[in-house]
Amino acid sequence: MPKVSSVIVPYASYLRVYEPLAAFPEPERGHWARYARRRDRPSYQDELRRSLADLVPTPPVPVPVHESGEAFVVETDGVVCVCPWRTRLRGWQALGALGGQLPPPVLDAVLPPVVRRQAAADYEQWLARNPDARPWIRTATWHVPLNWFVLVTDEERLYEPGGAEGEETSAGSGGPVLRYRTPMVQARRRVARGLKALRDAMDEGPLIDGLVDVGRWLEEFHPRSLVELDYGGLVHAVPEELLDEDHSAADVAAGIEALRAGDGVGAGEAYARLVERWRAVRERQFSN
């Protein structure tokens, strides 16, 4: 399948769920089984390029007309697991969140109100026919949400400056890779433990709310799924030496363990390391 461009599109991170083929009903299961045998599967960069290309026409196309038939594929212990892109669904959901991210004049210039209203109406009609729909992929721009790191451990971290040799990744060939993968059962257990520690130590807040939301999302998937936290395009926004030193999952785990032990100082130090690291990344968004 041809790529839209060879240019790397920054700068987003991803939380993905890969479900075993057995989790899908027929005929979708057969589609994914055949798809997994392909050798020309696209990467997340290809998906981003296509989405950006859709914004070029006048009027722009904010959401694909048809749902994507693409997916990311991994095989572990002989079990093929797939993570459908569901680009159309994710596009609708992202469009609904844009109002809080862009000033109205900028939003209207990029996506005119009439285009947004039509997309919202299409989504409402589609959702009435598909009330249980959920995406397999969550996306964040210019950072990795701290609650995502609760799901993984530092031992599950993979960092390859030139890409993961001999291993398939959603990023495609070449380029740095920084990601974590963990079994679904472990991710759910860590969410439960993390929530208990946080709720015992503090009032409700954004970190707790975010972790509750992620936990509910994970419950929608097959228990033998894989969960992947991928830095995605962020690896192109951060110097290599800082990526090598980035052990955010370890810092989050240390902070939660400190809270569990009643060590407020230790928890504060871990949180300060995280805030400083991710503030530096987000500030690159405004670099000239």
Side-chain angles (χ1 to χ4, degrees):
M1 181 172 298
K3 297 182 180 180
V4 174
S5 168
S6 61
V7 176
I8 293 173
V9 181
Y11 291 106
S13 61
Y14 304 90
L15 188 63
R16 305 186 182 98
V17 173
Y18 293 79
E19 288 196 281
L21 290 175
F24 298 91
E26 291 291 2
E28 187 177 8
R29 183 186 308 172
H31 166 76
W32 293 130
R34 293 186 297 273
Y35 182 90
R37 293 192 290 269
R38 284 176 44 182
R39 297 301 180 190
D40 60 342
R41 295 191 298 268
S43 72
Y44 79 87
Q45 286 286 325
D46 296 314
E47 182 190 29
L48 280 172
R49 293 181 190 114
R50 295 173 194 174
S51 298
L52 290 176
D54 283 342
L55 297 178
V56 174
T58 302
V61 182
V63 177
V65 177
H66 303 289
E67 186 55 272
S68 172
E70 309 281 3
F72 302 123
V73 180
V74 298
E75 183 173 343
T76 177
D77 298 327
V79 177
V80 174
C81 296
V82 299
C83 174
W85 282 9
R86 291 297 191 271
T87 306
R88 193 180 192 213
L89 172 58
R90 289 162 52 219
W92 273 324
Q93 293 177 338
L95 194 60
L98 271 182
Q101 300 177 10
L102 294 175
V106 176
L107 181 58
D108 290 346
V110 175
L111 292 171
V114 64
V115 173
R116 303 202 305 275
R117 285 195 296 269
Q118 183 60 58
D122 292 344
Y123 182 37
E124 185 176 352
Q125 293 175 7
W126 183 89
L127 200 57
R129 301 190 301 270
N130 303 273
D132 298 324
R134 78 282 194 263
W136 279 255
I137 304 172
R138 290 191 166 197
T139 305
T141 55
W142 288 103
H143 75 298
V144 178
L146 295 187
N147 58 74
W148 291 6
F149 288 112
V150 177
L151 280 55
V152 297
T153 67
D154 195 60
E155 290 73 24
E156 295 161 340
R157 178 181 183 270
L158 172 72
Y159 174 57
E160 292 285 351
E165 184 177 353
E167 179 177 346
E168 178 178 345
T169 73
S170 56
S173 60
V177 172
L178 178 51
R179 61 100 172 136
Y180 301 76
R181 280 187 193 150
T182 192
M184 176 64 77
V185 63
Q186 292 285 8
R188 289 175 177 171
R189 183 177 296 121
R190 290 164 186 156
V191 168
R193 291 176 176 173
L195 278 174
K196 184 178 187 308
L198 290 169
R199 284 170 167 164
D200 287 346
M202 64 181 69
D203 296 329
E204 295 293 321
L207 183 57
I208 293 177
D209 293 343
L211 195 53
V212 168
D213 180 56
V214 166
R216 288 173 177 166
W217 178 63
L218 294 180
E219 292 295 332
E220 299 287 332
F221 299 98
H222 193 284
R224 293 191 177 182
S225 300
L226 288 175
V227 179
E228 177 181 79
L229 191 168
D230 183 3
Y231 274 47
L234 288 181
V235 297
H236 304 291
V238 181
E240 195 171 290
E241 62 273 15
L242 296 184
L243 285 174
D244 188 41
E245 297 169 359
D246 184 335
H247 290 268
S248 292
D251 287 330
V252 168
I256 290 177
E257 186 57 36
L259 289 176
R260 189 178 288 116
D263 179 7
V265 173
E269 291 174 348
Y271 183 71
R273 289 194 298 272
L274 288 160
V275 169
E276 181 61 26
R277 178 181 302 130
W278 289 105
R279 179 188 294 121
V281 174
R282 282 191 148 173
E283 286 176 351
R284 296 177 191 276
Q285 179 179 1
F286 308 104
S287 298
N288 190 329

